[in-house]
Amino acid sequence: AIAGYDKADSGAAGTGNRAKIDYLAHLKKDALRGARIGVLRQEGGINPAVDHQFEQAVAAIKAAGATVVDAEIPTARQWGDFETEVMLYEVKDGVK
């Protein structure tokens, strides 16, 4: 879905329906070996099915050789409207 052609996307104009790329063929099996990845479990607990899928993903990351570290945001869920508004703009700017 992310890499597919979308005729409604003006940024894709003129690119046409290009051949599908096999992105999996370019992945390295040991790419996560030695990586240290923070996991924010404190935001879970709302949907057991999502939590289960999340933990399966964490297990797969560990199995691929990464070290998983539980991270915490002490001020999580303490933000007001102003902080949320600022964060939304900063995240958008940082994604460019």
Side-chain angles (χ1 to χ4, degrees), residues 15-75:
T15 61
N17 281 324
R18 295 189 178 174
K20 290 187 178 184
I21 298 171
D22 182 6
Y23 291 100
L24 292 177
H26 300 283
L27 296 178
K28 296 178 182 177
K29 291 186 180 200
D30 65 344
L32 291 179
R33 187 169 293 133
R36 186 173 157 90
I37 300 175
V39 174
L40 193 61
R41 285 190 170 97
Q42 76 187 65
E43 294 301 314
I46 297 169
N47 183 322
V50 172
D51 292 344
H52 177 73
Q53 292 296 317
F54 179 82
E55 290 302 330
Q56 283 187 323
V58 171
I61 289 168
K62 285 181 181 179
T67 299
V68 173
V69 179
D70 284 316
E72 290 186 19
I73 299 176
T75 57

